[in-house]
Amino acid sequence: MTAAPERVLGQSLRIELCRDVDVAPLMRFIGTQWRARHILSHDESLLRWQFAPELLRGRYAPGPTVLLALLGGEIVGMLGLTGFELNMAGVRFPAAWSSHWFVAPAYRRFNVALRLILAARDLGVAALATLGSNEASTRVLERLGFEVIPSLPRWIGVLDAAAAAELVCAANPKLSFEDALLWCRSHLVPPGAAVVPEGGLRPGGWSPAAAGEWDRFWNERLATRLVGASRDATYLRWRYVEHPRFEYDVRFAQRDTDGAVEGMAAFRVEQVRDRATRALRIVEFLGSAAGKATLVRAILEAARDSGAAMADFYCSSARTAQALERAGFSREIEDSPGAVFPSRFQPLEPEHSPVTALVRLPPAWCGTLPELVADGRLYITKSDGDQDRPN
Amino acid sequence: MIADRMSESAGLQEQVAAVFTQALKIDVPSYDTDLLATGLLDSLGFVELMVLLEQRFGIHIAMEDLEPDQFRSIASIAAFVAAQRRAA
């Protein structure tokens, strides 16, 4: 017989949505309990942007959409929820990406994490998803009915083999520069690979008129056949145009004659910390065949103009990435006998970090994730959730 | 009828307690010990328990129906299992 354990938590643990007055204590909690200098401990504009209450549809939130676990008024845990509209082949559902699922070490034995995710369930969203889940979180969420994509596929194109080889060498210390160079050359996107597309399309930047045309294209041509965040102009404006820290380039493929839009891409140039090297991170790539061909050319021009050594694109839909493959990009093979292309640059990290996706679809769609991935309808990129973020 | 129910309840409590000691390797002092407030069952342990209960008792626990209070003690877990079995 063991001694009765000390009762530490009881009914006094409350889970509540963050209010404006909780923001400062929340940032202190992140900085003291999670990690000193964590960006959300000192960048309030980023926190408020990521968890903007108006993104959570159908539910009033009195402040940033972060669930707080409160014990006697003190924050002991948190779960961030970034609201979005989930488009399921033309039908929209309120949904949320969860992130920053964290409990103070002293309270980890007390089911606080579970209570936070169950509180998210009770917010009235039809779907919950998360990107970049660790092993323990994945186990919990899978058991709670989330379907898993163990590693979001990644496409890679090398633009400057010598510069990319330096990155690969740094990420694979046992690899010689010569071998890294050979490896990078095998992933080289040759200049001129993207052919000039037919169809009178040209790449254009963000403008209210182009955004309106994009909405028409999205609603008429894409929404009915895709599953994922509803990527209408309102979403694009919030996610890319108004991002408080990153400078994204949003490009539309537009017809010369009438300005109609047939595709959209978003990307940003990332400087590798403490190195002269840059990488181009593609985070959106959607459109008709002609639209995508136009956008591939624009992306490659932007990559070369910026001096990027390599470009990458994480996306659940292999069908979507076919136009990149035609230009010379190749899908990363995780257990490759060659080398690993680094994926984290702030700072450059040696190992490859798989981006695990977990999705809990609306009830009528439960169990369909493998099929949605297989036929390319599921469109999740690294910019969903919080994986394309400043550190 | 009531005697049958009481007998079933006692039997289930013993079986649930066995899940804790044998499978989860957790010694629970009594059937009424608060598993959540005392930190005996963390979130990972909780979902492992769910899997074990489904396997041992042939029930299904959906996230939609999940309430931590139902798992607060061995006694409440046994009551939950019994209710799930009756509803099946």
Side-chain angles (χ1 to χ4, degrees):
Chain A
M1 194 74 171
T2 55
E6 183 187 359
R7 184 186 175 89
V8 177
L9 289 190
Q11 299 297 331
S12 58
L13 184 81
R14 292 179 294 119
I15 309 289
E16 293 184 2
L17 275 168
C18 182
R19 302 162 299 167
D20 272 335
V21 296
D22 298 318
V23 170
L26 171 62
M27 293 173 73
R28 277 197 299 276
F29 170 75
I30 294 169
T32 55
Q33 295 291 328
W34 192 331
R35 190 176 71 238
R37 302 298 302 159
H38 186 295
I39 193 162
L40 293 188
S41 72
H42 59 84
D43 190 336
E44 185 174 340
S45 63
L46 183 68
L47 186 146
R48 288 187 181 275
W49 169 85
Q50 182 167 354
F51 303 119
E54 61 270 21
L55 299 173
L56 195 64
R57 307 294 161 92
R59 168 83 190 199
Y60 169 73
T65 48
V66 179
L67 282 166
L68 303 178
L70 297 157
L71 190 62
E74 180 191 356
I75 300 172
V76 299
M78 65 178 289
L79 174 66
L81 295 165
T82 303
F84 70 102
E85 271 194 330
L86 175 66
N87 169 66
M88 301 290 300
V91 181
R92 293 181 173 199
F93 297 89
W97 286 102
S98 69
S99 64
H100 303 89
W101 191 15
F102 176 79
V103 176
Y107 298 95
R108 287 193 183 153
R109 292 185 300 126
F110 300 101
N111 273 271
V112 180
L114 188 71
R115 287 193 238 190
L116 282 162
I117 201 75
L118 292 179
R121 168 201 68 181
D122 294 339
L123 286 176
V125 291
L128 276 171
T130 192
L131 271 190
S133 178
N134 64 28
E135 195 179 329
S137 301
T138 298
R139 279 172 64 194
V140 172
L141 293 175
E142 268 194 286
R143 185 57 201 89
L144 293 176
F146 284 67
E147 295 175 71
V148 64
I149 301 172
S151 181
L152 208 58
R154 182 190 190 202
W155 279 263
I156 293 189
V158 168
L159 302 148
D160 178 335
E166 287 182 17
L167 289 182
V168 169
C169 258
N172 301 264
K174 291 180 181 169
L175 204 66
S176 70
F177 180 78
E178 288 70 26
D179 286 343
L181 191 58
L182 280 174
W183 177 247
C184 289
R185 282 182 177 149
S186 72
H187 289 74
L188 196 62
V189 177
V195 295
V196 179
E198 302 286 335
L201 293 169
R202 61 178 168 73
W206 177 272
S207 71
E213 290 297 327
W214 166 253
D215 264 347
R216 190 204 311 262
F217 184 77
W218 167 261
N219 286 317
E220 292 177 1
R221 298 278 300 276
L222 297 181
T224 52
R225 62 183 180 85
L226 287 179
V227 166
S230 188
R231 283 167 153 83
D232 57 15
T234 302
Y235 174 86
L236 298 182
R237 188 186 317 109
W238 164 75
R239 182 63 186 82
Y240 303 115
V241 180
E242 296 176 351
H243 194 282
R245 292 284 293 256
F246 280 165
E247 195 171 317
Y248 290 98
D249 200 337
V250 178
R251 300 280 180 96
F252 296 108
Q254 285 190 278
R255 276 208 299 260
D256 289 328
T257 49
D258 58 4
V261 163
E262 284 200 19
M264 177 274 298
F267 50 88
R268 66 183 177 88
V269 176
E270 184 170 353
Q271 181 80 46
V272 181
R273 189 186 291 180
D274 301 327
R275 288 174 180 268
T277 320
R278 292 175 171 175
L280 188 110
R281 320 306 297 260
I282 304 164
V283 288
E284 299 286 355
F285 187 61
L286 287 167
S288 65
K292 282 182 178 173
T294 302
L295 292 167
V296 169
R297 188 177 169 83
I299 289 167
L300 293 177
E301 281 178 5
R304 293 204 163 93
D305 288 350
S306 68
M310 57 177 279
D312 69 355
F313 179 48
Y314 285 86
C315 184
S316 58
S317 173
R319 193 174 66 187
T320 294
Q322 282 173 354
L324 289 170
E325 287 183 349
R326 280 194 287 274
F329 282 65
S330 48
R331 183 170 171 169
E332 187 173 51
I333 301 163
E334 282 175 30
D335 298 325
S336 162
V340 167
F341 282 98
S343 58
R344 292 181 176 172
F345 301 130
Q346 307 304 327
L348 182 68
E349 291 183 13
E351 79 277 12
H352 175 266
S353 307
V355 178
T356 304
L358 286 135
V359 184
R360 193 161 182 279
L361 294 168
W365 292 77
C366 279
T368 62
L369 198 75
E371 183 188 332
L372 294 172
V373 171
D375 65 16
R377 276 185 292 167
L378 186 76
Y379 181 80
I380 294 174
T381 79
K382 200 181 176 188
S383 74
D384 286 299
D386 78 327
Q387 290 300 292
D388 195 56
R389 58 162 192 249
N391 278 354
Chain B
M1 184 75 172
I2 292 172
D4 288 347
R5 283 274 173 89
M6 289 178 67
S7 171
E8 181 198 11
S9 173
L12 274 177
Q13 287 181 1
E14 280 180 29
Q15 291 176 61
V16 172
V19 168
F20 274 84
T21 52
Q22 291 165 18
L24 294 172
K25 311 294 182 198
I26 296 173
D27 287 327
V28 183
S30 79
Y31 291 170
D32 294 318
T33 297
D34 190 326
L35 303 165
L36 309 184
T38 52
L40 283 171
L41 197 60
D42 63 12
S43 295
L44 266 177
F46 194 106
V47 294
E48 284 170 14
L49 172 67
M50 287 169 61
V51 174
L52 290 166
L53 293 175
E54 289 189 336
Q55 290 171 348
R56 297 280 172 93
F57 300 106
I59 59 174
H60 175 64
I61 307 168
M63 185 185 177
E64 290 79 8
D65 311 322
L66 188 61
E67 294 301 336
D69 279 347
Q70 293 163 331
F71 297 81
R72 193 164 280 284
S73 66
I74 285 177
S76 63
I77 294 168
F80 172 79
V81 170
Q84 290 288 107
R85 280 177 153 182
R86 282 195 293 274

